[in-house]
Amino acid sequence: MTRKILVLPGDGIGQEITAEAVKVLEHLRREGLDLELEQALVGGSAYDVHGTPLPEGTLALAREADAVLLGAVGGPKWESLEIAVRPEKGLLGLRSGLGLFANLRPAILYPQLAGASTLRPEVVSGLDLMIVRELTGGIYFGQPRGVRTLDNGEREGFNTLVYRESEIERIGRVAFETAMRRGRRLCSVDKANVLECTELWREVMTRLAADYPEVELSHMYVDNAAMQLVRAPKQFDVMVTTNMFGDILSDCAAQLTGSIGMLPSASLDENGKGMYEPIHGSAPDIAGQGVANPLATILSVAMMLRHSLEAPEAAERIGRAVEKVLDDGLRTPDIFAEGCRRVGTREMGEAVVAALRQ
Ligand code: IPM
Ligand code: MG
């Protein structure tokens, strides 16, 4: 059966890094994986052509596809646009339009890159944690929202944090099942001491735990979780949290590894269809220079093979190929260290393909 993949390079370095990930997909296709690739515009580059960051044609192609590979969106060029047409709205529109409620963000420290973290090696070595972030609800999408003018003429900004039980339950199930496949420890992060909405979150997670007796569930307030992540991150196996807390904690977790250029992510719907993207942004400061690290995007392809294309062996091979190029000492500038060989985006991508050939 032919699997359709929609590639959305987006903005900034998105163009360069997805080009390398496509080389990996093309290689797998030559080996016999039945893939069909298509490309479309999203983000600022879509706004420039169509006046919207998420053209209907792009959303339609994404709906038809079995999986979507996204580079990154955004950049200074579009920062002064009104919020409704900013590049980020393209990303948020894809998430909600495709029902991608479950965001998996692993933070893994590669032993080859142990020196890249700003934390002491003994704190982070061997780190392997997974953040499961709710992605289509919470304060990101809650209504009402906006800026209004009060009777006295002063303006007031407001957003709404809202979760239905069913929304909490479905992300909870993804998290418990993820924990079952890993170390069977799940930490649910909330602010139940202050926010009623996350008091409900805690209650639903606790109820769900009865269905997963092998998983050890714990709860943590988000402020403490942020502190624990930098104090002793290896205490965590899987964390599950709301959209906004997950946004913040996943950046924190990424920095533990010191190499945000290495971390992939998956955003999944109810049926395992997904959008896959590196967790870093469009890095406008280095865009077009051919120095961006394509490995996070290539590792996103591995997640795609595992979660949406039922090709776990190919996913494993990509993981090993990435380890091989790191073992060989190839480094893009973001992960460069003394004694290694500095390479650009293209050379790194091609080295992964070469490692796959072996
Ligand atoms: C992320 C990003 C996005 C988010 C932005 C670009 C809308 O920070 O994927 O973490 O806030 O979700
Ligand atoms: Mg973020």
Side-chain angles (χ1 to χ4, degrees):
M1 188 175 67
T2 307
R3 302 307 202 102
K4 281 196 197 166
I5 298 170
L6 179 65
V7 180
L8 301 174
D11 309 321
I13 60 168
Q15 304 282 338
E16 300 148 65
I17 55 180
T18 50
E20 301 311 311
V22 164
K23 286 178 194 167
V24 170
L25 285 166
E26 298 279 8
H27 174 77
L28 296 173
R29 183 164 68 176
R30 280 194 298 275
E31 279 185 349
L33 202 62
D34 195 357
L35 301 176
E36 195 180 296
L37 303 186
E38 240 177 315
Q39 281 216 11
L41 294 174
V42 74
S45 49
Y47 175 82
D48 287 346
V49 178
H50 298 287
T52 162
L54 183 56
E56 269 176 31
T58 297
L59 186 57
L61 284 172
R63 286 209 170 100
E64 272 168 36
D66 294 293
V68 178
L69 180 68
L70 182 99
V73 297
K77 184 178 173 193
W78 304 285
E79 258 160 29
S80 55
L81 292 175
E82 62 169 305
I83 208 164
V85 291
R86 280 203 210 135
E88 290 76 9
K89 276 284 170 189
L91 182 58
L92 295 172
L94 280 168
R95 289 172 181 172
S96 68
L98 300 175
L100 306 173
F101 69 94
N103 186 207
L104 307 184
R105 297 193 164 186
I108 294 168
L109 188 91
Y110 286 83
Q112 298 91 337
L113 305 178
S117 177
T118 47
L119 275 78
R120 287 202 305 274
E122 66 268 28
V123 176
V124 289
S125 71
L127 181 77
D128 177 358
L129 78 87
M130 175 72 89
I131 294 185
V132 179
R133 169 189 177 192
E134 200 291 325
L135 203 59
T136 52
I139 200 166
Y140 269 54
F141 293 95
Q143 294 289 349
R145 62 191 296 155
V147 177
R148 63 190 159 210
T149 305
L150 303 174
D151 290 343
N152 69 0
E154 190 185 9
R155 287 185 309 154
E156 171 180 82
F158 56 101
N159 288 90
T160 303
L161 171 60
V162 54
Y163 273 114
R164 273 174 281 136
E165 281 184 292
S166 55
E167 288 178 289
I168 304 170
E169 181 166 337
R170 68 178 181 177
I171 191 68
R173 290 205 182 277
V174 170
F176 275 102
E177 270 150 34
T178 303
M180 286 293 287
R181 289 191 297 270
R182 294 176 41 108
R184 305 196 168 185
R185 284 181 301 115
L186 176 62
C187 179
S188 171
V189 176
D190 60 43
K191 190 71 187 174
N193 50 344
V194 178
L195 305 173
E196 291 83 352
C197 178
T198 68
E199 200 181 5
L200 179 66
W201 176 282
R202 185 176 285 220
E203 191 189 307
V204 172
M205 290 295 164
T206 304
R207 192 170 71 211
L208 274 181
D211 292 348
Y212 303 89
E214 289 111 319
V215 176
E216 183 194 313
L217 174 68
S218 60
H219 304 275
M220 205 178 267
Y221 297 139
V222 63
D223 48 350
N224 186 28
M227 183 171 72
Q228 295 300 332
L229 267 177
V230 290
R231 191 187 72 86
K234 285 187 273 180
Q235 71 185 282
F236 298 111
D237 175 24
V238 180
M239 301 174 96
V240 62
T241 193
T242 63
N243 203 343
M244 187 160 76
F245 293 165
D247 178 46
I248 298 165
L249 294 179
S250 63
D251 262 30
C252 183
Q255 177 53 30
L256 297 175
T257 72
S259 41
I260 195 166
M262 296 293 301
L263 300 178
S265 75
S267 306
L268 305 173
D269 76 359
E270 308 266 8
N271 308 311
K273 170 173 170 166
M275 181 160 82
Y276 300 83
E277 55 181 309
I279 74 158
H280 59 70
S282 59
D285 52 320
I286 57 163
Q289 298 174 19
V291 295
N293 187 347
L295 293 178
T297 317
I298 289 171
L299 290 165
S300 299
V301 168
M303 286 191 96
M304 175 190 287
L305 290 160
R306 186 169 289 124
H307 292 282
S308 293
L309 303 181
E310 287 130 40
E313 277 163 32
E316 292 283 328
R317 286 179 54 219
I318 291 176
R320 285 198 298 275
V322 167
E323 299 248 9
K324 166 88 169 57
V325 300
L326 293 176
D327 285 338
D328 290 347
L330 275 64
R331 301 284 189 274
T332 43
D334 58 305
I335 51 173
F336 182 75
E338 253 352 280
C340 295
R341 189 154 73 81
R342 196 184 286 266
V343 298
T345 311
R346 186 178 302 165
E347 198 177 339
M348 188 61 112
E350 285 168 3
V352 174
V353 174
L356 281 172
R357 270 202 207 97
Q358 283 168 16

